[in-house]
Amino acid sequence: MKNLKLLSAVPFVALILANTSPPVGVATDQTAQRNQAVAEALPIADQQDFEDARRGLLAQLETDILNEDGSVAWKIDEFDFLDGEAPPSANPSLWRQSQLSAIHGLFEVVPGLYQVRGYDLSVMTLIAGDSGWIVIDPLLSAAPARASLDLANKTLGEKPVVAVLFTHSHADHFGGVLGVTSREELQAGKVAIYAPYGFTKETVGESVLAGNAMSRRAQYQFGANVPSGAAGAVGVGLGPKLSAGSIGLLPPTRELSTDGETLDIDGITFEFVDAGQTEAPSEFVFYLPQFKAFHAAEVVTRVQHNILTPRGAIVRDSLQWSRKVDEFLSRFGDKSEVMLASHHWPTWGGDAVRDKLRNQRDTYRYIHDQTLRMANQGLTMDEIAEDIGEPDFAKTDFGVRGYYGTFEHNSKAVYQRYFGWWNAVPADYDPLPKVEEAAKWISALGGAEAALAQGQKAFEAGDYRWGARLLQTLVFAEPDNTDAKMWLASTYEQLGYQAEGGTWRNIYLSAALELRTPKENDSVNTVTASVLAALPTLDLFDALAARFNPAKMQGEGGILAFNFPDTEEEISVDLRQSVMFPRVGSADAPVVTLSIQRSDMNRLLAQETTLPELLGSGAATFEGDVTALGRMFGALDSQVPYFEIVTP
């Protein structure tokens, strides 16, 4: 790929003055100048990362990866447009990162240790054990995982999969497991699955309890509906994009201790270190002494990560994160000749590994300490984000730049962890709901026409942050105001074009797309029957309880009993007018008892069947007042996958 430089911008001021319609799909002069300044401030032409990202290439897939139903899971040439110079519509630093992430194929890290990169957001690592493959993080969906394994078998020789490692509890690191093994192989003892402490519990929290809202927000974070291209999605920073296909889960054979363990897995020694409460609440990393290789999972990658991911999650502990990376540096820094992770390309050479670890450690420590320093001086969350800046080494180490997490956003996460959502400004403690407040602001500005004129003026001046706030307020006050929505879309577009963060770009461009052309839902569904099958039964009922709507509860409550013959489990539910409380165990004198296979309950919760269908077929039976079941299930809200974000 060529060294990056910006193409000429399209002259723009005359267009705005001559036409009151907002521009679509082109960068303004202000955006082009801002991006040019980025190109001049950073060592964009440095080719070391490109050499490392291509090192050890053995083979590549040449055709699209298809799901079982024939749909495309991964389009091989989708990011070919990146093979050129950065246009004015893309931040050149993000463009460079996206070029690197798009380099795809099977790579030899060192003999016996391989990676398949560029076919999903994450990276799949393969280790040749004594009797077969050890697979680390089998991607998000089954088809790319299967294609990656097939590529390795075709290139390196056929081997069975004997072990799978889930490094942490995010779906892009376990969702493709059914592409590399099966439930039958697991039950037969042909494959072992290792996961960090708390993996199952944390998977429930992220994929089930809050999965619907997270999936919708993830559409924005990952730009799921934004077409790829120079004026569209260019990458997420953490990787190219999410694959499109079925997400599965198999239960771990073993969750490791938080104390760390050393295990022999098919002749390969793994020195595990628990890294929970850093990038994920449940995570491990490991050192491979045979290869002098340190695998950092997603704790250390070639980006600054999110301390609070835009899709939503529990705020991460940046101080713990920095301390864990320092532990890695102390324990493995002097003996590691290569460092690899579950995203991006490896780092070779002891000095380079140590430098990367030190800079990653100090990035999270810088964000933590500087946020608290300024908070203790009385600065608010927003003021800290504006003033935090960046450490000196971020100007030369692209691996800590804000392609995924950013200094601004992460400082707000640290503030939230210590102080909560309130920024200590009294007017922000109990503000009006946004729609009501928006109407009052527009009235105070003199009406919609005056507000729109101010929004256009901000756009013409390149004052996009202010323009976005003003125009978004107008849209919330008047959601049918087409002119307001179109100008807001163009404003968001320019913010996206300027963003160094892949997530920031995707969020802005997703908003612009939905303002112009509302789409039907295309979210990632992590709540499949396969995922639910791996979860404890009580957690399934906690997921139901999180959908209980008191306003829909009709009639009397009571104790409901659920019997699962196939798993020999019983759950009782104390159903009241306002709360549905499940517990493990049998119930005395329940108003109704439902007997149902756990596998059928999984299908019921995944909306693959209904309770009347199960009762009608005899797959489920009941004793007692069946209307009590109707009252419970009738009080559950349906999931709304495609709720509004940019309009009320």
Side-chain angles (χ1 to χ4, degrees):
M1 296 183 184
K2 301 175 183 177
N3 292 347
L4 300 178
K5 65 180 180 180
L6 287 176
L7 302 175
S8 302
V10 176
F12 215 75
V13 175
L15 175 61
I16 294 176
L17 295 177
N19 187 350
T20 57
S21 297
V24 177
V26 290
T28 62
D29 288 339
Q30 295 95 328
T31 292
Q33 291 164 9
R34 184 182 176 106
N35 285 339
Q36 184 64 48
V38 171
E40 293 171 356
L42 296 173
I44 294 290
D46 190 325
Q47 291 295 295
Q48 184 60 56
D49 284 338
F50 288 95
E51 294 174 10
D52 287 345
R54 296 189 185 101
R55 178 171 171 171
L57 177 63
L58 299 176
Q60 293 179 305
L61 294 176
E62 298 180 353
T63 58
D64 293 346
I65 301 173
L66 302 180
N67 294 308
E68 290 185 355
D69 63 2
S71 61
V72 176
W74 192 264
K75 198 171 185 300
I76 293 297
D77 63 355
E78 183 164 356
F79 293 96
D80 284 359
F81 69 89
L82 290 165
D83 192 10
E85 299 167 342
S89 57
N91 183 295
S93 181
L94 176 61
W95 186 267
R96 176 186 185 274
Q97 177 77 358
S98 298
Q99 286 184 319
L100 289 160
S101 296
I103 297 171
H104 64 90
L106 170 68
F107 300 83
E108 181 183 73
V109 180
V110 295
L113 178 59
Y114 308 92
Q115 285 193 314
V116 186
R117 304 197 294 268
Y119 302 126
D120 211 323
L121 181 72
S122 53
V123 166
M124 190 166 88
T125 301
L126 295 164
I127 302 175
D130 287 348
S131 61
W133 290 120
I134 302 167
V135 177
I136 300 155
D137 287 351
L139 308 181
L140 174 69
S141 60
R146 185 178 300 110
S148 296
L149 180 61
D150 289 346
L151 181 63
N153 280 328
K154 179 180 178 181
T155 306
L156 299 167
E158 189 87 19
K159 295 182 180 65
V161 172
V162 296
V164 178
L165 276 62
F166 302 147
T167 63
H168 59 290
S169 52
H170 295 156
D172 57 319
H173 300 269
F174 65 75
V177 65
L178 295 176
V180 300
T181 189
S182 66
R183 189 173 303 277
E184 292 73 23
E185 289 178 331
L186 178 64
Q187 292 172 342
K190 294 180 180 180
V191 63
I193 299 178
Y194 300 86
Y197 176 82
F199 173 86
T200 302
K201 175 179 179 294
E202 298 302 337
T203 300
V204 172
E206 294 224 348
S207 297
V208 179
L209 291 178
N212 187 67
M214 282 188 179
S215 292
R216 174 65 171 127
R217 291 165 64 110
Q219 286 185 310
Y220 271 54
Q221 176 175 332
F222 296 107
N225 295 325
V226 178
S228 300
V234 301
V236 185
L238 192 64
K241 61 177 291 186
L242 296 171
S243 63
S246 61
I247 296 173
L249 176 61
L250 293 176
T253 308
R254 177 173 178 178
E255 288 190 4
L256 273 63
S257 165
T258 56
D259 295 330
E261 300 183 47
T262 298
L263 298 178
D264 182 291
I265 302 176
D266 199 37
I268 305 297
T269 300
F270 288 76
E271 297 180 17
F272 288 100
V273 176
D274 185 80
Q277 309 306 319
T278 59
E279 186 271 336
S282 171
E283 188 155 2
F284 60 45
V285 302
F286 51 86
Y287 179 70
L288 301 165
Q290 286 102 317
F291 303 104
K292 295 184 178 179
F294 173 60
H295 194 294
E298 202 170 319
V299 183
V300 177
T301 60
R302 287 181 175 268
V303 293
Q304 177 190 154
H305 215 292
N306 285 300
I307 295 173
L308 174 58
T309 178
R311 66 178 167 81
I314 296 172
V315 178
R316 295 156 182 172
D317 187 342
S318 54
L319 181 59
Q320 165 76 352
W321 202 328
S322 69
R323 286 174 172 166
K324 272 295 174 182
V325 178
D326 189 58
E327 180 182 345
F328 307 157
L329 177 64
S330 298
R331 292 184 59 176
F332 308 123
D334 287 339
K335 53 186 180 181
S336 296
E337 291 301 321
V338 62
M339 179 171 65
L340 61 162
S342 296
H343 293 274
H344 306 124
W345 56 99
T347 298
W348 285 271
D351 290 341
V353 169
R354 288 184 287 275
D355 285 344
K356 293 293 183 186
L357 287 171
R358 189 174 294 111
N359 286 352
Q360 286 274 322
R361 176 197 68 185
D362 290 348
T363 294
Y364 301 111
R365 192 61 187 249
Y366 175 90
I367 296 166
H368 176 273
D369 291 355
Q370 294 309 306
T371 299
L372 289 183
R373 178 183 67 81
M374 287 187 274
N376 286 324
Q377 294 295 322
L379 275 69
T380 66
M381 179 190 299
D382 295 334
E383 290 169 335
I384 294 168
E386 199 70 14
D387 293 347
I388 191 167
E390 62 185 28
D392 62 299
F393 53 83
K395 300 184 188 307
T396 54
D397 184 355
F398 286 102
V400 301
R401 297 204 63 78
Y403 302 124
Y404 196 53
T406 66
F407 289 102
E408 299 95 326
H409 182 82
N410 280 338
S411 69
K412 293 180 180 180
V414 173
Y415 189 101
Q416 178 178 325
R417 183 176 180 88
Y418 282 92
F419 306 109
W421 55 265
W422 182 42
N423 64 6
V425 176
D428 293 336
Y429 195 72
D430 187 27
L432 291 170
K434 276 194 173 293
V435 172
E436 185 177 347
E437 184 179 66
K440 292 180 180 294
W441 273 116
I442 298 307
S443 177
L445 287 168
E449 289 187 8
L452 181 60
Q454 288 296 316
Q456 290 178 264
K457 182 179 178 180
F459 186 96
E460 293 169 11
D463 195 1
Y464 304 122
R465 290 171 69 189
W466 162 239
R469 293 288 291 182
L470 177 56
L471 291 165
Q472 183 71 76
T473 300
L474 178 54
V475 168
F476 266 68
E478 296 189 0
D480 294 327
N481 189 325
T482 300
D483 287 340
K485 289 195 288 188
M486 294 306 99
W487 278 102
L488 177 58
S490 292
T491 301
Y492 279 148
E493 198 167 57
Q494 296 305 314
L495 288 169
Y497 292 165
Q498 293 180 10
E500 186 178 31
T503 53
W504 285 44
R505 180 183 178 96
N506 289 337
I507 288 167
Y508 287 131
L509 296 187
S510 294
L513 177 67
E514 290 187 7
L515 285 162
R516 290 172 177 151
T517 55
K519 281 193 62 148
E520 293 300 317
N521 174 53
D522 189 28
S523 60
V524 175
N525 178 21
T526 58
V527 188
T528 64
S530 173
V531 170
L532 295 176
L535 306 180
T537 303
L538 180 62
D539 292 323
L540 295 183
F541 279 84
D542 283 338
L544 285 179
R547 292 169 49 193
F548 183 79
N549 185 342
K552 293 182 178 179
M553 178 60 186
Q554 302 294 321
E556 296 295 322
I559 305 297
L560 285 66
F562 294 82
N563 178 40
F564 300 97
D566 54 340
T567 60
E568 299 182 345
E569 294 177 288
E570 291 180 286
I571 297 288
S572 63
V573 173
D574 188 349
L575 183 66
R576 304 178 67 196
Q577 180 61 54
S578 299
V579 176
M580 170 187 163
F581 193 96
R583 68 163 67 98
V584 174
S586 60
D588 293 330
V591 296
V592 65
T593 298
L594 178 69
S595 295
I596 182 174
Q597 299 292 327
R598 169 60 199 274
S599 57
D600 286 329
M601 190 68 174
N602 298 336
R603 296 197 301 119
L604 180 63
L605 294 187
Q607 300 180 16
E608 296 176 6
T609 187
T610 66
L611 185 58
E613 289 174 352
L614 292 171
L615 291 172
S617 67
T621 60
F622 69 91
E623 294 181 6
D625 181 9
V626 72
T627 63
L629 291 171
R631 289 193 291 274
M632 189 195 86
F633 283 102
L636 303 180
D637 275 344
S638 297
Q639 303 282 27
V640 182
Y642 194 74
F643 53 79
E644 296 293 345
I645 292 178
V646 288
T647 56

